[in-house]
Amino acid sequence: MDRTPKQTQDLTLALLYLTSLADHDDPAARRCWKGYDFQVLADLQAQGLVEDTQGRVPLRLPPAGIAQAKAVLQALGLEDPRG
């Protein structure tokens, strides 16, 4: 059950994507920092849009999270700087 507003989740996911780095362990995923509200991150994780990396600082954005983040950017009329 999501406890945070959908808009907050969408914007957080977009920011996670925009500030992410390449994941050397998984080329289809990206790494990002946990500097966001933990409840929002927990809600995104429950939806499979982010993956916790077992206590390490960076999160992993799996392909599903990347696709959703790109859809949010497109819906907001923002250009994806990664192409």
Side-chain angles (χ1 to χ4, degrees), residues 40-59:
V40 176
L41 295 177
D43 290 343
L44 291 171
Q45 184 177 355
Q47 297 172 47
L49 299 174
V50 298
E51 297 172 351
D52 194 357
T53 52
Q54 299 154 1
R56 297 190 329 233
V57 173
L59 292 170

Side-chain angles (χ1 to χ4, degrees), residues 27-81:
R30 299 195 59 82
R31 294 278 182 162
C32 49
W33 298 102
K34 294 182 181 179
Y36 298 91
D37 182 278
F38 287 145
Q39 186 59 58
V40 176
L41 295 177
D43 290 343
L44 291 171
Q45 184 177 355
Q47 297 172 47
L49 299 174
V50 298
E51 297 172 351
D52 194 357
T53 52
Q54 299 154 1
R56 297 190 329 233
V57 173
L59 292 170
R60 179 177 288 127
L61 274 177
I66 293 170
Q68 180 65 28
K70 289 180 177 185
V72 169
L73 291 175
Q74 184 177 11
L76 293 171
L78 299 173
E79 190 172 317
D80 181 354

